[in-house]
Amino acid sequence: TGCADPSLPPSVGAGLIVHDGGRVLVTERSDGHGWCFPGGDPEDGEGYLAAAAREAGEEVGFPPGSVDDATLVGVYPAHGKGGAPSAAVVYAVQRPPGWVPDVIDPREVSGVRWVGREDRIGFAFGLEDAARDWFGGRLLGGELAASRG
């Protein structure tokens, strides 16, 4: 029907924009829904930044403890399971030195790639607004020292 299942509660997930100069890391979802930033749903009692970092570790091997300098990019409306209302809390962090992302959990992620402002990809969950804000320098948590290209 295209409508959200009213029995599903709204969910809030967390995403992590890992940036390296003017590029950001995106992951291709294994379910065919497109590209997104590493991230997922918090576990009970887990904060959004901790959830984004944990999920990024599980999906692409993001090193634990590498989010100390993360900045809040924003909170975005998204589409959850079954079309349920959802939101994504998105943070940004500099790529840790020497870290090379790779697919860790192929059930969730089928590919990784670095993209720049000029790249056009199909973002899952409506995350194109987060990418636009990042590349445009519009951050809720203030400016980052690294260039956004």
Side-chain angles (χ1 to χ4, degrees), residues 15-18 48-54 56 62-71 91-94 96:
L16 191 63
I17 295 177
V18 180
Y48 295 115
L49 180 56
R54 176 186 50 75
F62 188 77
S66 297
V67 294
D68 291 342
D69 296 327
T71 298
Y91 296 89
V93 65
Q94 174 71 40

Side-chain angles (χ1 to χ4, degrees), residues 30-47:
S30 293
D31 60 12
H33 286 141
W35 295 85
C36 61
F37 303 114
D41 294 330
E43 295 177 350
D44 288 341
E46 185 177 42

Side-chain angles (χ1 to χ4, degrees), residues 7-141:
S7 68
L8 295 174
S11 66
V12 179
L16 191 63
I17 295 177
V18 180
H19 62 90
D20 186 11
R23 305 175 309 157
V24 299
L25 179 71
V26 293
T27 61
E28 186 174 23
R29 294 181 48 86
S30 293
D31 60 12
H33 286 141
W35 295 85
C36 61
F37 303 114
D41 294 330
E43 295 177 350
D44 288 341
E46 185 177 42
Y48 295 115
L49 180 56
R54 176 186 50 75
E55 288 280 348
E58 293 172 2
E59 294 173 359
V60 295
F62 188 77
S66 297
V67 294
D68 291 342
D69 296 327
T71 298
L72 177 63
V73 177
V75 180
Y76 301 89
H79 312 290
K81 294 180 176 92
S86 181
V89 180
V90 180
Y91 296 89
V93 65
Q94 174 71 40
R95 175 186 186 178
W99 174 63
V100 177
D102 195 13
V103 173
I104 302 300
D105 186 351
R107 295 169 300 170
E108 291 191 37
V109 173
S110 61
V112 296
R113 91 185 237 211
W114 293 96
V115 298
R117 177 193 309 254
E118 69 285 351
D119 294 312
R120 301 289 176 246
I121 62 172
F123 274 102
F125 309 119
L127 289 173
E128 60 274 350
D129 290 340
R132 190 176 310 117
D133 286 351
W134 165 252
F135 284 119
R138 295 179 297 273
L139 309 176
L140 287 180

